[in-house]
Amino acid sequence: MSVIILGIESSCDDTSAAVIKDNILLSNIIANQNVHKSYGGVVPELASRAHQQNIIPVVDEAIRSANLSRDDIDAVAFTRGPGLLGSLLVGTSFVKGFALAQNIKMIEVNHLQAHILVHFLQQSDSVSSMPDFPFLCLLVSGGHTQLVLVKDFLDMEIIGSTIDDAAGEAFDKCAKLMGLPYPGGPHVDKLAKKGDAWRFNFNKPKIDDYNYSFSGLKTSFLYFLRDQLKKDDQFIDNNRADLAASLQRTIIDILLQKFIMAAKDYKVKHIALAGGVSANSGLREAVLKTFDKSGYSTYIPEFSFTTDNAAMIAITGLYKYYKGQFADQDVTPLARMHF
Ligand code: KG4
Ligand code: ZN
């Protein structure tokens, strides 16, 4: 028998609801919060308030565009963490009320696990191939940078992670230094297409094992700009595209070096990308080129499933539903959450 799951995502600044029937996506609605733009970053209190405003209309829209009614939903999955506590509380509280009113089960989902499991989501109009277990996934987002060995749907091992900033933070913080709006990652990506990636060189970290570090790159970028601006106060304006391209190349080089090393050491045949930074066109191209030519099967999510969305929460909820892993009404959100 088919299972219909409603997924809810509210961990940061996107309010999203999605409906799936088994592993097929029926709807995925995302309300972005523009309120943070003028602050140059996400303001937690404003995020919670915007979630509170958005959540009911977003859920209504997700159910309506799936051509279903509330009574068709078998279970509701939600992001328990990690994320901003105030934002997570809105989603969690909504889900408790919804589950009680509909007399259905709740399923708690780890946001990071969900970014990875989006690879198992199918669109109704096309069948896409999925990675085989075990595979190695580079999970790169605004808050996390991890190399994850995925042994099964709900069996994942983090083999490396950043010891300071995440890759998305490196994009966003350096973009801010260049005067670009928040979040800066997509702006750097766009500018980089017109720039010379080999024009400038920035420091790369020397870190053990499969771990990452991005705070040194940010400092190197900051000092470089400061020195150049002393000589030419128009330096950023005159070199923005080359700066973006050189920065992006450096971030991609850092990410790929450990990814390639870990893929070889763990002898996996399938590799995958996930998380907001996997929307980066330079990273997507570099991963495809590097791994395809070495005989790996490479999986990169569609653009709409790279950044935060509830479809990934719903598909993760499905695998937990199959295992009978349900949450109780006293469940609380977690700002930090491991898997
Ligand atoms: O996964 P996500 O939506 O939220 C978190 O869970 O953090 O990731 C957001 C991050 C931001 O740092 C944003 O700048 C970055 O993903 N990002 C990009 C691109 N699109 C989003 N970074 C580089 N290039 C992009 N095209
Ligand atoms: Zn995310």
Side-chain angles (χ1 to χ4, degrees), residues 110 112-113 116-117 133-139 145-161 210-211 259 262 266 268 338-339:
N110 180 307
L112 300 175
Q113 219 166 26
I116 297 174
L117 291 182
F133 300 117
F135 65 92
L136 186 68
C137 185
L138 173 64
L139 171 58
T145 297
Q146 298 175 332
L147 277 169
V148 183
L149 184 65
V150 187
K151 300 169 193 171
D152 207 335
F153 294 110
L154 301 171
D155 184 6
M156 303 183 187
E157 182 191 345
I158 299 168
I159 61 165
S161 55
Y210 308 116
N211 293 327
F259 196 9
Y266 279 84
V268 291
H338 302 287
F339 55 83

Side-chain angles (χ1 to χ4, degrees), residues 4-290:
I4 294 178
I5 303 225
L6 169 68
I8 306 287
E9 155 63 26
S10 73
S11 66
C12 191
D13 60 340
D14 295 310
T15 319
S16 180
V19 179
I20 58 170
K21 184 175 186 182
D22 301 327
N23 64 348
I24 295 174
L25 183 67
L26 300 183
S27 65
N28 184 36
I29 307 296
I30 304 174
N32 304 117
Q33 302 180 358
N34 289 324
V35 63
H36 308 286
K37 283 220 160 72
S38 54
Y39 295 92
V42 177
V43 183
E45 290 228 359
L46 296 180
S48 315
R49 194 186 310 172
H51 281 304
Q52 192 75 263
Q53 276 172 340
N54 293 340
I55 196 148
I56 304 248
V58 164
V59 170
D60 274 350
E61 181 61 24
I63 295 173
R64 197 175 26 243
S65 51
N67 284 322
L68 296 173
S69 82
R70 257 182 288 168
D71 294 338
D72 297 316
I73 311 283
D74 295 308
V76 56
F78 66 100
T79 307
R80 183 178 182 196
L84 300 171
L85 199 63
S87 291
L88 293 164
L89 270 167
V90 177
T92 308
S93 304
F94 169 83
V95 165
K96 287 184 182 190
F98 189 87
L100 266 184
Q102 295 300 121
N103 195 22
I104 56 175
K105 299 276 194 197
M106 297 187 294
I107 306 163
E108 59 162 274
V109 167
N110 180 307
H111 179 90
L112 300 175
Q113 219 166 26
H115 267 301
I116 297 174
L117 291 182
V118 84
H119 284 287
F120 296 94
L121 190 69
Q122 296 286 314
Q123 312 254 30
S124 53
D125 49 0
S126 62
V127 177
S128 51
S129 62
M130 305 177 206
D132 284 345
F133 300 117
F135 65 92
L136 186 68
C137 185
L138 173 64
L139 171 58
V140 265
S141 73
H144 295 83
T145 297
Q146 298 175 332
L147 277 169
V148 183
L149 184 65
V150 187
K151 300 169 193 171
D152 207 335
F153 294 110
L154 301 171
D155 184 6
M156 303 183 187
E157 182 191 345
I158 299 168
I159 61 165
S161 55
T162 180
I163 58 162
D164 42 53
D165 288 352
E169 269 176 293
F171 269 110
D172 296 343
K173 287 178 177 173
C174 293
K176 197 171 175 181
L177 295 173
M178 283 193 278
L180 298 171
Y182 179 85
H187 297 280
V188 172
D189 190 354
K190 210 164 148 202
L191 275 169
K193 293 197 173 97
K194 298 181 282 184
D196 175 0
W198 297 97
R199 172 97 186 277
F200 306 116
N201 285 307
F202 306 110
N203 279 357
K204 289 191 203 155
K206 292 181 184 61
I207 299 284
D208 289 342
D209 305 325
Y210 308 116
N211 293 327
Y212 288 107
S213 165
F214 286 98
S215 66
L217 169 62
K218 182 195 62 196
T219 311
S220 153
F221 194 73
L222 172 72
Y223 288 167
F224 176 74
L225 288 184
R226 199 187 56 185
D227 293 346
Q228 297 303 318
L229 284 168
K230 275 187 203 150
K231 294 182 242 167
D232 168 13
D233 61 4
Q234 302 295 307
F235 180 78
I236 296 179
D237 286 342
N238 293 336
N239 297 284
R240 208 175 253 108
D242 291 348
L243 282 167
S246 302
L247 170 73
Q248 182 170 296
R249 176 195 39 97
T250 311
I251 296 176
I252 294 171
D253 281 355
I254 296 171
L255 289 171
L256 279 188
Q257 194 218 340
K258 298 293 174 92
F259 196 9
I260 295 166
M261 187 170 103
K264 275 189 195 144
D265 291 353
Y266 279 84
K267 298 185 173 54
V268 291
K269 300 212 164 44
H270 289 207
I271 63 102
L273 267 186
V277 180
S278 68
N280 185 269
S281 51
L283 178 62
R284 296 166 81 92
E285 208 180 292
V287 164
L288 269 179
K289 219 163 92 188
T290 310

